[in-house]
Amino acid sequence: MKLTHDTPATKKEAYDLITALKLGAELSEAEIDSLLLYFCPAHPKKVKTPMEWVAKAAAVKDVRQHLLYIHVSNGFATASDGARIHKAKVDLADGYYCPKTLLPTKCDLRYIPDSTIDSLLDISRFDCESVLLSETTTGTEVYDKKITKYYELACGLRFYAGYVQDACNGDNLKLTYANNPTISASNLIVGESQFGKFCIKGLNL
């Protein structure tokens, strides 16, 4: 089963569709998909599967359509919203998957090259340092007109707390960063959860 429609119904649309069903109407595949997306529950805060964990990193709204999905290729699922990446090993067919339902979709877009993703997830080629999440400090600041909670490393790098919490999934993980402010990877942290590898871009606060 593949989703053919990736936009959830509104509350009124869902009501109208269910009313139509009650009256004996047959719904199209796209209408059924819109209902499925409307009623689909959110993933738990502490996820239990690799796909749920990967889905946390998918974009919610983005003009770059490929970032709205989970991409599976060669036994690995990857999602990114442009500021973070989650990648985990899975036993699924290649293709795009809906981050809400985790069902395959008929989406056919070009995704981020594996070589680019892997180079961001592995910064061991640089001089690196690591800290545990519990060794970081927390704070809040107005960012993009919103009060933003962040984790801060001793070197001054700050990372959106929500992204770090999604990646660590409740565990006190080791966070690794490049100890060189002149390289492109200097504003990244990488790590590995029970499900897979992640990379998070720092905030420009």
Side-chain angles (χ1 to χ4, degrees):
M1 179 177 67
K2 287 189 175 183
L3 292 178
T4 61
H5 187 76
D6 56 11
T7 303
T10 64
K11 185 175 183 178
K12 182 180 184 307
E13 289 170 343
Y15 175 82
D16 289 343
L17 289 171
I18 292 172
T19 300
L21 276 175
K22 184 71 173 176
L23 295 173
E26 291 189 6
L27 301 186
S28 68
E29 194 172 355
E31 288 172 329
I32 294 172
D33 287 348
S34 71
L35 275 179
L36 180 64
L37 290 165
Y38 175 77
F39 287 110
C40 181
H43 297 306
K45 188 173 183 179
K46 185 174 176 65
V47 299
K48 298 180 180 179
T49 70
M51 281 292 279
E52 287 180 339
W53 181 76
V54 171
K56 292 276 191 177
V60 177
K61 292 182 180 179
D62 202 298
V63 294
R64 298 165 293 182
Q65 291 291 309
H66 60 286
L67 298 185
L68 301 174
Y69 302 93
I70 297 171
H71 183 246
V72 173
S73 176
N74 299 317
F76 286 92
T78 306
S80 173
D81 60 8
R84 55 178 168 167
I85 299 170
H86 288 189
K87 182 176 181 178
K89 191 172 183 179
V90 294
D91 184 19
L92 294 168
D94 286 2
Y96 281 89
Y97 290 73
C98 171
K100 293 182 179 179
T101 64
L102 306 182
L103 293 171
T105 77
K106 292 188 177 180
C107 172
D108 184 18
L109 298 167
R110 186 175 180 179
Y111 202 66
I112 308 166
D114 288 341
S115 58
T116 300
I117 292 171
D118 291 339
S119 69
L120 291 169
L121 291 171
D122 182 5
I123 60 173
S124 59
R125 60 193 181 278
F126 303 117
D127 178 24
C128 295
E129 292 190 17
S130 298
V131 296
L132 291 173
L133 177 60
S134 60
E135 297 172 336
T136 65
T137 58
T138 59
T140 57
E141 191 164 327
V142 176
Y143 177 71
D144 196 20
K145 299 181 180 180
K146 297 179 181 178
I147 297 176
T148 300
K149 182 178 179 181
Y150 59 81
Y151 287 99
E152 183 173 0
L153 308 184
C155 62
L157 286 175
R158 294 175 177 178
F159 299 88
Y160 177 50
Y163 288 178
V164 177
Q165 291 163 357
D166 284 346
C168 293
N169 197 41
D171 295 326
N172 185 29
L173 299 183
K174 182 173 69 174
L175 307 174
T176 300
Y177 62 96
N179 190 25
N180 186 337
T182 65
I183 61 174
S184 59
S186 63
N187 68 333
L188 301 175
I189 53 171
V190 301
E192 188 164 359
S193 76
Q194 66 186 105
F195 300 117
K197 295 182 179 181
F198 63 85
C199 167
I200 304 172
K201 184 179 180 181
L203 290 169
N204 296 316
L205 294 175

